[in-house]
Coordinates of all heavy atoms in Angstrom, one line a residue:
G70 N -13.8 -10.6 -12.5 CA -14.4 -11.4 -11.4 C -13.9 -11.0 -10.0 O -14.3 -11.7 -9.0
K71 N -13.0 -10.1 -9.9 CA -12.4 -9.7 -8.6 C -12.7 -8.3 -8.3 O -13.0 -7.4 -9.1 CB -10.9 -10.0 -8.6 CG -10.6 -11.5 -8.8 CD -9.1 -11.7 -8.7 CE -8.8 -13.2 -8.8 NZ -7.3 -13.4 -8.6
E72 N -12.5 -7.9 -7.0 CA -12.7 -6.6 -6.5 C -11.5 -5.7 -6.9 O -10.4 -6.2 -7.1 CB -12.9 -6.5 -5.0 CG -14.2 -7.2 -4.6 CD -14.4 -7.0 -3.1 OE1 -13.5 -6.6 -2.4 OE2 -15.5 -7.4 -2.6
R73 N -11.8 -4.4 -7.0 CA -10.7 -3.4 -7.3 C -9.7 -3.5 -6.1 O -10.1 -3.5 -5.0 CB -11.3 -2.0 -7.5 CG -10.3 -1.0 -8.0 CD -11.0 0.3 -8.4 NE -11.9 0.1 -9.4 CZ -12.6 1.1 -10.0 NH1 -12.4 2.3 -9.6 NH2 -13.4 0.9 -11.0
R74 N -8.4 -3.4 -6.5 CA -7.4 -3.6 -5.5 C -6.4 -2.5 -5.6 O -6.0 -2.1 -6.7 CB -6.7 -5.0 -5.7 CG -5.7 -5.4 -4.7 CD -5.2 -6.8 -5.1 NE -4.3 -7.3 -4.0 CZ -3.6 -8.4 -4.1 NH1 -3.7 -9.2 -5.2 NH2 -2.8 -8.8 -3.2
F75 N -5.9 -2.0 -4.4 CA -4.9 -1.0 -4.4 C -3.6 -1.5 -4.9 O -3.1 -2.6 -4.5 CB -4.7 -0.5 -2.9 CG -3.6 0.4 -2.7 CD1 -3.6 1.7 -3.1 CD2 -2.4 -0.1 -2.1 CE1 -2.5 2.6 -2.9 CE2 -1.3 0.7 -1.9 CZ -1.4 2.1 -2.3
V76 N -2.9 -0.7 -5.7 CA -1.6 -1.1 -6.2 C -0.5 -0.2 -5.6 O 0.4 -0.7 -5.0 CB -1.5 -1.0 -7.8 CG1 -0.1 -1.3 -8.3 CG2 -2.6 -1.9 -8.4
V77 N -0.6 1.1 -5.8 CA 0.4 2.0 -5.3 C -0.1 3.4 -5.2 O -1.1 3.8 -5.9 CB 1.6 1.9 -6.3 CG1 1.2 2.4 -7.7 CG2 2.8 2.7 -5.8
A78 N 0.5 4.2 -4.4 CA 0.1 5.7 -4.3 C 1.3 6.5 -4.0 O 2.3 6.0 -3.5 CB -0.9 5.9 -3.1
I79 N 1.2 7.8 -4.4 CA 2.2 8.7 -4.2 C 1.7 10.0 -3.6 O 0.6 10.5 -4.0 CB 3.0 9.0 -5.5 CG1 4.2 9.9 -5.2 CG2 2.1 9.6 -6.5 CD1 5.2 9.9 -6.4
A80 N 2.3 10.5 -2.6 CA 1.8 11.7 -1.9 C 1.9 13.0 -2.8 O 2.6 13.0 -3.8 CB 2.7 11.9 -0.6
W81 N 1.2 14.0 -2.3 CA 1.2 15.2 -3.1 C 2.6 15.8 -3.3 O 2.9 16.4 -4.3 CB 0.3 16.2 -2.5 CG 0.8 16.7 -1.1 CD1 0.5 16.2 0.1 CD2 1.6 17.9 -0.9 NE1 1.2 16.9 1.1 CE2 1.8 17.9 0.5 CE3 2.2 18.8 -1.7 CZ2 2.6 18.9 1.1 CZ3 3.0 19.8 -1.2 CH2 3.2 19.9 0.2
S82 N 3.5 15.6 -2.4 CA 4.8 16.2 -2.5 C 5.7 15.3 -3.4 O 6.8 15.8 -3.7 CB 5.4 16.3 -1.1 OG 5.6 15.0 -0.6
G83 N 5.2 14.1 -3.7 CA 6.0 13.2 -4.5 C 7.1 12.5 -3.7 O 7.8 11.6 -4.2
G84 N 7.2 12.7 -2.4 CA 8.3 12.1 -1.6 C 7.9 10.8 -0.9 O 8.8 10.0 -0.6
R85 N 6.6 10.6 -0.7 CA 6.3 9.4 0.0 C 5.4 8.5 -0.8 O 4.4 9.0 -1.5 CB 5.5 9.8 1.3 CG 5.0 8.6 2.2 CD 4.6 9.1 3.5 NE 3.6 10.1 3.5 CZ 2.3 9.8 3.4 NH1 1.9 8.6 3.5 NH2 1.4 10.8 3.4
T86 N 5.7 7.2 -0.9 CA 5.0 6.3 -1.7 C 4.6 5.1 -0.9 O 5.2 4.8 0.2 CB 5.8 5.8 -2.9 OG1 7.0 5.2 -2.4 CG2 6.1 6.9 -3.8
S87 N 3.5 4.4 -1.2 CA 3.1 3.2 -0.6 C 2.7 2.2 -1.7 O 2.1 2.6 -2.7 CB 2.0 3.5 0.4 OG 0.9 4.0 -0.3
Y88 N 3.0 0.9 -1.4 CA 2.9 -0.1 -2.4 C 2.1 -1.3 -1.9 O 2.2 -1.6 -0.7 CB 4.2 -0.6 -2.9 CG 5.0 0.4 -3.8 CD1 5.8 1.3 -3.2 CD2 4.9 0.4 -5.1 CE1 6.5 2.2 -4.0 CE2 5.6 1.3 -5.9 CZ 6.4 2.2 -5.3 OH 7.1 3.1 -6.1
G89 N 1.3 -1.9 -2.7 CA 0.6 -3.1 -2.3 C 1.7 -4.2 -2.1 O 2.7 -4.2 -2.8
D90 N 1.4 -5.2 -1.3 CA 2.4 -6.2 -1.0 C 2.8 -7.0 -2.2 O 3.9 -7.4 -2.3 CB 1.8 -7.2 0.1 CG 1.6 -6.5 1.4 OD1 2.3 -5.5 1.7 OD2 0.9 -7.0 2.3
F91 N 1.9 -7.2 -3.1 CA 2.2 -8.1 -4.2 C 3.1 -7.4 -5.3 O 3.6 -8.0 -6.2 CB 0.9 -8.5 -4.9 CG 0.1 -7.3 -5.5 CD1 0.3 -6.8 -6.7 CD2 -0.9 -6.7 -4.7 CE1 -0.4 -5.7 -7.2 CE2 -1.6 -5.6 -5.1 CZ -1.4 -5.1 -6.4

Side-chain angles (χ1 to χ4, degrees):
K71 297 187 177 181
E72 294 185 350
R73 191 172 296 185
R74 187 179 185 184
F75 170 78
V76 177
V77 61
I79 186 166
W81 65 271
S82 64
R85 181 167 55 90
T86 57
S87 59
Y88 291 86
D90 291 342
F91 60 89

